């Protein structure tokens, strides 16, 4: 097929239309992104269920139980800062690797200022204390913190393009606490659908890098920190999967003279003090849960950096490229297999295999592949191409039925069409056939006594009777030539007994003639026919133009059958050749009429008259 015909092929046009949708969607619309996120999140949940949180990360949890237990002793939350100071003192005695607050101490406790001083004093003695801050993205930066003046003291580093007089709106811990602790931002990064899948490493602000709290902790503990803006989180289990110690239980135990808890349960641990209580509304939407505690998101980010197993995202152009390649692959499949069912089976098999491959990439390489859009576009192309193929096949089937019905028994037509044969499958082939020619005798006298309308009606009646006989014996009606009939056996359906069927049909056509003559009365006494039959090779198939195709047989066999029919005049009604007689065996009595010279043949032809045994 030439390139121009390939490009204008309907299946190619469907593929190009789908590819156009891929490009437009990738550049402008993002129609499949919500579904990509949905299925990606489902895979993340499945993967997370098999992941074990780092046992060295422990959350001291301000949970519902702690809020109730502490209410009678220190009042409702927020508790005095002295309570947190006492807790830190007790934890520090066990020599943890780090103590991290997921609580913003941004405002002074005006009713209990001594508590703020006590907390500042305790933090000043600890070298591995970490406190959160918050970058206000919707704040008034113009009235915010001067980065040139205070940024470096907060751990905010200037990049090459840093604006020296830049100001940033931020929520910071109390100044007394800033002096003692390492700081990091705890901004929640959410995608366009409101789901948090990533955690910041460094937040850019006018060329300054504001470190996140997980990044600050990791750098202080000498964990490798990637040189990128954020990481895609690799989740661990369901919500509340990290080891948690209720705040109240730990605090109350530390007040005892003799601890009831293990003496060094927090030794060398990374301790995060935060809340999972629903009432404190520190919950976020994540792929794992719609109410995921922010403190566990922080724990997950530190866990990922500690192990270095955060997820890697592929470039955005990978998804549309994969979609285009898959559409082209299945376009090739349609052209190669010529069967929507076979292509659909391969696509149905390919879909789960690709999902398994995506899961293996996620589990083994921490690589999240965007596969929904490529699969969706592949199925879209398949449905459109399969629908076109079905409608095209339906049209071809209907056309084939209409054409086949002109020269075949409807039962044979059904068999051919059910096997998928079309007019395009039978363009021409050499086969052995048995050709029958039948011509009318004595028709001139009858036509002189009838009107044109009567002649047409008479011929239609006669042809209908004879075609019925031919069809009954499996013959193919080639054409009507004036008042003559040409038929053959052996194509398009193979017939090993083609000669027997052709001779039987000729004898029944003779009998049908007698019945037809009786219907004509005295006017039909001179109405007769001659039938000639010959068996031999011929080229059979559809011949004609695009708008007019006829299934016919051509060759010397056809010409000889016609000449034999001409020899019946004055001799008998049916004559067959030596080749046909031999293929009939002993099923008929054949009367030998001798050899005759026929036009177009140098050698004489021996002819026989068949009679029923």
């Amino acid at each position: 097929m030439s390139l121009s015909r390939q490009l204008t092929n309907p299946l190619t046009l469907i593929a190009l239309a789908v590819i156009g949708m891929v490009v437009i969607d990738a550049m402008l619309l993002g129609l499949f992104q919500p579904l990509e996120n949905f299925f990606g999140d489902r895979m993340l949940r499945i993967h997370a269920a098999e992941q074990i949180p780092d046992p060295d990360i422990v959350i001291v949890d301000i949970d519902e139980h702690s809020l109730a237990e502490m209410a009678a002793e220190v009042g409702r939350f927020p508790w005095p800062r002295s309570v947190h100071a006492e807790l830190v003192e007790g934890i520090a005695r066990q020599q943890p690797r780090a103590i991290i607050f997921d609580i913003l101490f941004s405002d002074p406790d005006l009713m209990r200022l001594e508590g703020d001083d006590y907390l500042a004093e305790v933090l000043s003695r600890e070298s591995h204390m970490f406190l959160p801050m918050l970058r206000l993205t919707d704040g008034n930066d113009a009235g915010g913190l001067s980065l040139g003046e205070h940024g470096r003291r907060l751990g905010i580093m200037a990049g090459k393009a840093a604006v020296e007089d830049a100001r940033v709106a931020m929520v910071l811990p109390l100044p007394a606490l800033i002096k003692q602790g390492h700081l990091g931002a705890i901004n929640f990064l959410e995608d366009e659908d409101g789901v948090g899948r990533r955690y910041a490493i460094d937040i850019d602000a006018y060329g300054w890098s504001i470190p996140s709290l997980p990044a600050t902790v990791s750098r202080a503990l000498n964990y490798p920190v990637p040189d990128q803006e954020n990481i895609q989180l690799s989740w661990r289990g369901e919500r509340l999967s990290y080891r948690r110690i209720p705040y109240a239980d730990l605090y109350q135990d530390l007040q005892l003279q003799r601890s009831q808890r293990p003496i060094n349960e927090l030794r060398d641990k990374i301790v995060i003090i935060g809340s999972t209580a629903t009432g404190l509304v520190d919950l976020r939407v994540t792929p794992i849960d719609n109410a995921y505690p922010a403190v566990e998101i922080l724990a997950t980010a530190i866990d990922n950096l500690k192990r270095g197993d955060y997820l890697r995202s592929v470039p955005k152009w990978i998804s549309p490229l994969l979609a285009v390649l898959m559409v082209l692959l299945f376009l090739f499949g349609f052209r190669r297999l010529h069967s929507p069912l076979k292509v659909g089976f391969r696509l149905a098999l390919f879909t789960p295999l690709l999902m398994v491959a995506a899961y293996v990439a996620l589990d083994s390489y921490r690589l999240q592949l965007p596969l929904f859009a490529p699969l969706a576009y592949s199925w879209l192309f398949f449905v459109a191409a399969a629908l076109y193929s079905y409608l095209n096949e339906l049209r071809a089937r209907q056309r084939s039925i209409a054409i086949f019905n002109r020269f075949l028994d409807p039962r044979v037509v059904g068999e051919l069409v059910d096997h998928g044969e079309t007019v395009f499958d039978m363009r021409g082939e050499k086969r052995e056939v048995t050709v029958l020619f039948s011509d009318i005798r004595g028709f001139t006298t009858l036509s002189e006594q009838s009107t044109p309308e009567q002649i047409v009606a008479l011929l239609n009646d006669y042809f209908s009777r004879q075609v019925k006989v031919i069809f009954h014996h499996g013959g193919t009606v080639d054409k009507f030539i004036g008042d003559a009939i040409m038929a053959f056996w052996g194509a398009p359906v193979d017939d090993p007994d083609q000669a027997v069927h052709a001779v039987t049909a000729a004898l029944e056509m003779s009998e049908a003639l007698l019945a037809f003559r009786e219907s004509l009365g005295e006017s039909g006494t001179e109405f007769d026919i001659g039938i000639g039959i010959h068996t031999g090779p011929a080229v059979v198939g559809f011949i004609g133009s695009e708008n007019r195709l006829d299934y016919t047989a051509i060759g010397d066999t056809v010409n000889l059958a016609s000449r034999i029919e001409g020899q019946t005049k004055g001799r008998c009604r049916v004559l067959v050749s030596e080749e046909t007689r031999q293929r009939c065996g002993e099923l008929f009595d054949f009367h030998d009429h001798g050899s005759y010279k026929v036009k177009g043949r140098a050698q004489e032809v021996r002819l026989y008259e068949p009679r029923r045994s």
Side-chain angles (χ1 to χ4, degrees):
M1 184 183 294
S2 65
L3 179 61
S4 60
R5 291 191 64 183
Q6 288 182 5
L7 293 176
T8 56
N9 181 277
L11 289 176
T12 303
L13 294 177
I14 293 173
L16 291 176
V18 174
I19 290 172
M21 292 176 61
V22 172
V23 174
I24 293 173
D25 186 38
M27 296 179 64
L28 300 174
L29 303 178
L31 295 176
F32 283 110
Q33 192 58 47
L35 289 173
E36 188 77 73
N37 291 339
F38 175 79
F39 284 97
D41 291 348
R42 290 292 296 263
M43 189 168 290
L44 285 177
R45 284 198 291 274
I46 296 171
H47 179 257
E50 300 177 353
Q51 307 305 305
I52 300 174
D54 191 326
D56 289 338
I57 298 176
V58 180
I59 296 173
V60 177
D61 188 8
I62 304 174
D63 56 4
E64 304 287 356
H65 161 75
S66 296
L67 292 176
E69 285 288 319
M70 300 286 286
E73 186 175 347
V74 299
R76 295 167 61 87
F77 194 85
W79 302 321
R81 304 278 165 76
S82 59
V83 172
H84 298 303
E86 291 172 359
L87 180 73
V88 169
E89 282 184 312
I91 293 174
R93 286 195 293 270
Q94 298 187 32
Q95 297 181 335
R97 191 172 300 175
I99 302 174
I100 306 164
F101 270 107
D102 188 31
I103 302 171
L104 279 167
F105 299 116
S106 57
D107 298 313
D109 188 346
L110 298 178
M111 303 298 294
R112 296 165 294 203
L113 291 174
E114 69 281 0
D116 290 349
D117 295 335
Y118 182 17
L119 180 59
E121 179 189 346
V122 170
L123 297 187
S124 69
R125 298 196 298 264
E126 304 302 329
S127 60
H128 286 96
M129 284 299 310
F130 299 88
L131 298 176
M133 57 184 177
L134 192 66
R135 162 77 161 106
L136 299 178
T137 55
D138 58 349
N140 181 14
D141 282 346
L145 178 77
S146 171
L147 294 179
E149 183 179 353
H150 304 288
R152 292 174 180 83
R153 190 158 58 92
L154 299 174
I156 302 174
M157 305 306 294
K160 293 181 179 179
V163 178
E164 189 63 29
D165 60 349
R167 290 180 174 272
V168 175
M170 298 190 68
V171 177
L172 299 172
L174 297 171
L177 303 181
I178 290 176
K179 295 178 182 179
Q180 315 304 335
H182 301 286
L183 301 181
I186 55 171
N187 287 73
F188 177 67
L189 296 184
E190 61 182 19
D191 294 334
E192 292 182 359
D193 57 359
V195 180
R197 302 178 178 88
R198 299 167 292 122
Y199 211 105
I201 296 297
D202 293 298
I203 301 172
D204 180 73
Y206 308 108
W208 294 76
S209 293
I210 303 173
S212 69
L213 189 52
T216 299
V217 171
S218 296
R219 287 168 179 144
L221 299 181
N222 295 318
Y223 300 147
V225 177
D227 184 18
Q228 56 193 59
E229 290 185 359
N230 57 71
I231 58 171
Q232 188 171 357
L233 295 174
S234 177
W235 304 91
R236 320 290 197 206
E238 301 177 351
R239 69 186 297 270
L240 307 181
S241 290
Y242 281 89
R243 182 188 170 197
R244 293 175 297 115
I245 301 174
Y247 189 110
D249 292 357
L250 182 60
Y251 177 79
Q252 291 169 356
D253 187 78
L254 291 173
Q255 308 308 308
L256 300 176
Q257 290 294 328
R258 303 189 68 177
S259 175
Q260 303 299 310
R261 301 182 65 84
I263 297 176
N264 290 318
E265 67 175 328
L266 298 178
R267 186 179 183 85
D268 292 329
K269 305 297 183 185
I270 297 174
V271 181
I272 306 175
I273 303 170
S275 171
T276 66
T278 306
L280 297 184
V281 201
D282 198 12
L283 305 173
R284 302 289 185 267
V285 180
T286 70
I288 308 303
D289 197 283
N290 288 337
Y292 200 87
V295 67
E296 281 208 308
I297 300 177
L298 175 61
T300 302
I302 295 173
D303 190 347
N304 282 194
L305 290 173
K306 180 174 181 286
R307 300 191 197 185
D309 64 350
Y310 44 87
L311 302 183
R312 275 76 172 172
S313 298
V314 299
K316 290 185 178 180
W317 53 265
I318 291 293
S319 179
L321 176 62
L322 187 58
V324 170
L325 292 177
M326 288 176 63
V327 169
L328 293 177
L329 173 65
F330 288 105
L331 170 63
F332 175 78
F334 268 96
R335 288 184 171 175
R336 184 71 178 268
L337 300 173
H338 304 290
S339 170
L341 186 62
K342 291 180 180 179
V343 176
F345 174 77
R346 283 161 173 76
L347 181 55
L349 184 64
F350 188 70
T351 298
L353 288 178
L354 202 60
M355 290 181 177
V356 170
Y359 186 81
V360 170
L362 177 64
D363 188 53
S364 300
Y365 304 102
R366 295 297 188 267
L367 187 64
Q368 190 169 30
L369 299 177
L371 294 180
F372 177 81
L375 284 172
Y377 281 115
S378 297
W379 278 103
L380 177 63
F381 168 72
F382 168 74
V383 170
L387 180 60
Y388 163 77
S389 296
Y390 169 76
L391 294 176
N392 192 49
E393 183 179 345
L394 182 62
R395 287 193 297 269
R397 180 186 178 93
Q398 291 172 341
R399 183 183 181 189
S400 297
I401 290 174
I403 295 175
F404 288 157
N405 277 334
R406 299 206 316 258
F407 55 84
L408 286 172
D409 184 352
R411 292 171 298 178
V412 178
V413 172
E415 182 180 343
L416 283 173
V417 174
D418 288 342
H419 281 81
E421 296 286 353
T422 68
V423 295
F424 304 105
D425 300 320
M426 302 186 322
R427 284 293 191 177
E429 59 180 332
K430 191 172 184 179
R431 302 179 72 159
E432 183 176 271
V433 295
T434 299
V435 182
L436 178 150
F437 265 93
S438 172
D439 197 7
I440 298 175
R441 311 271 190 265
F443 184 61
T444 304
T445 304
L446 184 61
S447 61
E448 290 174 350
Q449 301 171 358
S450 307
T451 64
E453 291 80 5
Q454 291 173 328
I455 294 172
V456 171
L458 181 146
L459 285 176
N460 285 340
D461 184 15
Y462 166 73
F463 284 142
S464 296
R465 294 171 186 244
Q466 299 294 44
V467 167
K468 184 177 180 181
V469 173
I470 293 170
F471 281 172
H472 178 69
H473 292 283
T476 299
V477 175
D478 186 308
K479 60 176 69 73
F480 299 102
I481 310 169
D483 55 4
I485 302 173
M486 175 183 168
F488 54 86
W489 282 256
V493 179
D494 288 331
D495 185 357
D497 298 321
Q498 54 180 268
V500 174
H501 293 151
V503 172
T504 304
L507 296 176
E508 287 193 17
M509 290 172 69
S510 181
E511 296 168 2
L513 169 69
L514 299 178
F516 178 70
R517 284 167 57 170
E518 288 183 8
S519 69
L520 297 179
E522 293 184 3
S523 61
T525 55
E526 295 184 12
F527 191 95
D528 208 339
I529 60 173
I531 299 175
I533 302 174
H534 175 56
T535 302
V539 175
V540 293
F542 281 96
I543 297 175
S545 66
E546 290 291 333
N547 298 323
R548 174 67 181 180
L549 288 173
D550 286 310
Y551 190 72
T552 187
I554 57 176
D556 183 63
T557 297
V558 177
N559 296 332
L560 183 53
S562 175
R563 302 288 186 264
I564 293 173
E565 182 276 323
Q567 296 296 323
T568 61
K569 296 179 181 179
R571 291 187 177 86
C572 59
R573 192 169 288 142
V574 181
L575 286 175
V576 305
S577 67
E578 176 70 25
E579 289 78 5
T580 301
R581 186 196 71 80
Q582 289 178 358
R583 284 166 176 74
C584 290
E586 304 297 328
L587 295 177
F588 304 97
D589 290 333
F590 286 96
H591 177 67
D592 189 350
H593 277 266
S595 299
Y596 295 90
K597 181 75 174 177
V598 297
K599 185 177 179 181
R601 280 261 178 157
Q603 187 177 358
E604 292 186 341
V605 178
R606 198 170 188 87
L607 302 177
Y608 299 86
E609 177 186 358
R611 299 170 183 171
R612 295 189 184 277
S613 299

